[in-house]
Amino acid sequence: MLERTHQVPPIDLHQFPSLFSSGAASVCDPGARFGLRRTIFQVEFELSRGGTKRGRTAVIVGAQWGDEGKGKIVDVLTQTFSVVARYAGGHNAGHTVIINGKKFILQLVPGGILRPECISVVGNGVVIDPLAFLKEVASLRSAGVKVDGNLFVSNRAQVILPYHRMMELGSENAPGRVKIGTTSRGIGPSYEDKIARRGLRVADLLDTQLLRTHIENACREKNTIAHALFNSEPLDADKMFREYADAAEQIRPFVRDTALLLNRALAEGKSIVFEGAQGTMLDIDHGTYPFVTSSSATSGGAATGTGVPPTSIDTVIGITKAYCTRVGSGPFPSELLDAQGEDLRKRGNEFGAVTGRPRRTGWLDLPLLRYAGMINGISWLVVTKLDVLDHLTEIPVCVGYKVDGKQTDEVPAQACGYEKIECVYRNMPGWASPTQNIRTVEGLPKAAREYLAFIEKETAARVAMISTGPDREQTILVPEFISELELKNC
């Protein structure tokens, strides 16, 4: 079904020389500034004039605690969309895509990179470890993936340096510290430096003198703090500078003003998928704080994390598993701590794509799904891993919460508030038959269709796609969704 989907022509890179040309223009060059102003004016004019059809946009957002299968769904959509833009997180987020049995694990690079006709953008809301980025690029090249000319990195994205990892490891293991369960890859401390206005951005990484000064000053400060608080060994500033100055030259060809690139693509009628990382319940503002990530994982992050205005967002697509999982510490109302939970973990292969950590498992939580729908403005839901439930004759679903015996619609603001929650369950009939080779909604067992219809009714969002296995081809697209997003499925 999917292999015959229409292929959108690639963006003509030569049409936009100011956006795609090799190397980043100096911000201190008056000529470059004049050319940039002229290009920005052209973008604004073309976006506002009546005769130009703006490209379509869709935000892909996790509706649970991450690991919902966003990578596969982005990969499926890029059969039609021209650009994929990642807007949050770092290399702690792993997207797994399986194509004809071959597995690709993407950490920083957006899922669109697996289609040679698609442009992939790492937006300004992402924090980038230069060495991790270059390692991933090298791995993709060795696998025959077209990277050069298809992948661009924002000059405004924050850079992760070794002292960020040092600070996170020390903090996470400090006595008395509430363990959040971070990946200790420096993500949080990099965002801390961003908000404190002492971070290093990609544009600064390319400025050799500025890079040297920044590393010397930062190491002096971080070494002192880390030694005093965590008794950490000091980092060598000279060694760090040499390593990252070399990395900067390798990254330089990828660097662009990606906000301008994306808005220009929209002005020319190109379609964009905005790729989130983690999930709604890990959002720094709206998640189960403090057991959250350090960035805006909700749909609002697509605007702030790429420079595309909110008014240009057409559709928000929420991704949810047919059950629920979570990695690391923190609240999980519908968690299963018994043999059923272990069975779901094994059948669903619930282990982190990047870290390998086992995921906690539980039944589908509709109150949280409704909350995610409200926060993100989700109009379409994608239900993944439906096949993991194929063996069940009965499927419990959390349909509501009770606190002190009273029903509530509120999701607690404090993590301790979840300790008072009692889940109200409804048992849905299972289908006890395989779904992996089914390619249409009508072909699904009646009980499976009823399960999906129940999710639609309870969340007020329409089911757009159903994933019945890890491979790209094991995906069912709903005709109404195909029509609304102008997808091709013939």
Side-chain angles (χ1 to χ4, degrees), residues 122-140:
V122 180
N124 58 275
V126 179
V127 288
I128 296 177
D129 182 324
L131 303 186
F133 174 80
L134 291 173
K135 182 180 179 182
E136 188 172 350
V137 165
S139 176
L140 288 167

Side-chain angles (χ1 to χ4, degrees), residues 210-231:
L210 193 155
L211 177 64
R212 180 186 291 277
T213 302
H214 182 93
I215 286 178
E216 289 174 353
N217 292 339
C219 281
R220 190 179 305 114
E221 175 187 313
K222 307 291 186 184
N223 282 339
T224 301
I225 294 171
H227 180 73
L229 293 180
F230 317 125
N231 199 30

Side-chain angles (χ1 to χ4, degrees), residues 15 32-33 41 50 53 82 104 151 154 175 217 244 269 297 306 327 347 357 379 394 399 436 441 445 452 484:
Q15 189 176 356
R33 286 203 306 269
F41 171 78
K53 182 182 178 182
S82 307
F104 295 86
L151 176 62
S154 171
N217 292 339
Y244 282 81
T306 63
V327 172
R347 290 178 182 273
R357 290 188 295 178
S379 55
E394 190 173 73
V399 296
Q436 283 203 343
V441 175
L452 297 170
E484 182 167 312

Side-chain angles (χ1 to χ4, degrees), residues 157-438:
Q158 295 282 322
V159 175
I160 299 173
L161 290 162
Y163 53 75
H164 291 127
R165 293 191 292 275
M166 176 181 70
M167 297 299 290
E168 187 165 35
L169 278 167
S171 179
E172 184 77 353
N173 296 316
R177 163 84 178 195
V178 176
K179 290 190 180 296
I180 295 172
T182 73
T183 56
S184 297
R185 300 190 173 201
I187 311 295
S190 179
Y191 278 113
E192 286 180 42
D193 279 357
K194 173 181 179 176
I195 299 304
R197 294 163 296 182
R198 57 173 177 257
L200 184 83
R201 302 202 291 182
V202 170
D204 306 322
L205 181 72
L206 305 183
D207 185 328
T208 305
Q209 186 55 50
L210 193 155
L211 177 64
R212 180 186 291 277
T213 302
H214 182 93
I215 286 178
E216 289 174 353
N217 292 339
C219 281
R220 190 179 305 114
E221 175 187 313
K222 307 291 186 184
N223 282 339
T224 301
I225 294 171
H227 180 73
L229 293 180
F230 317 125
N231 199 30
S232 300
E233 291 296 317
L235 295 171
D236 186 330
D238 288 334
K239 179 182 177 182
M240 189 186 304
F241 167 72
R242 290 193 299 272
E243 187 173 27
Y244 282 81
D246 178 65
E249 291 311 306
Q250 297 179 63
I251 287 173
R252 187 182 295 275
F254 298 100
V255 179
R256 299 291 183 276
D257 182 338
T258 55
L260 190 57
L261 184 157
L262 291 169
N263 280 285
R264 180 68 183 183
L266 281 179
E268 293 296 324
K270 305 297 188 295
S271 55
I272 301 177
V273 171
F274 297 96
E275 178 185 273
Q278 289 89 33
T280 300
M281 301 312 298
L282 290 179
D283 183 83
I284 185 66
D285 290 298
H286 302 290
T288 49
Y289 190 91
F291 302 96
V292 293
T293 191
S294 302
S295 59
S296 297
T298 50
S299 59
T304 58
T306 63
V308 171
T311 50
S312 292
I313 305 297
D314 297 324
T315 307
V316 178
I317 304 167
I319 317 296
T320 176
K321 285 177 181 171
Y323 50 99
C324 208
T325 65
R326 174 166 196 163
V327 172
S329 306
F332 189 171
S334 66
E335 183 174 13
L336 289 166
L337 298 173
D338 56 14
Q340 280 188 309
E342 183 61 30
D343 185 55
L344 279 179
R345 184 178 299 112
K346 289 179 179 177
R347 290 178 182 273
N349 191 29
E350 296 296 353
F351 299 91
V354 174
T355 64
R357 290 188 295 178
R359 298 176 187 137
R360 299 154 64 189
T361 59
W363 300 122
L364 186 64
D365 188 329
L366 290 176
L368 283 190
L369 207 50
R370 287 191 287 265
Y371 175 76
M374 176 184 72
I375 295 298
N376 292 292
I378 294 171
S379 55
W380 291 99
L381 276 176
V382 174
V383 179
T384 63
K385 295 202 171 183
L386 187 72
D387 56 297
V388 176
L389 305 182
D390 283 354
H391 64 296
L392 297 173
T393 57
E394 190 173 73
I395 305 170
V397 178
C398 175
V399 296
Y401 292 155
K402 282 185 179 180
V403 175
D404 297 327
K406 296 181 180 179
Q407 191 168 341
T408 180
D409 293 326
E410 285 194 28
V411 171
Q414 293 180 289
C416 62
Y418 285 87
E419 297 172 7
K420 301 178 181 179
I421 283 179
E422 175 191 352
C423 286
V424 179
Y425 287 100
R426 172 174 171 176
N427 291 329
M428 298 291 294
W431 42 96
S433 61
T435 59
Q436 283 203 343
N437 295 320
I438 295 171

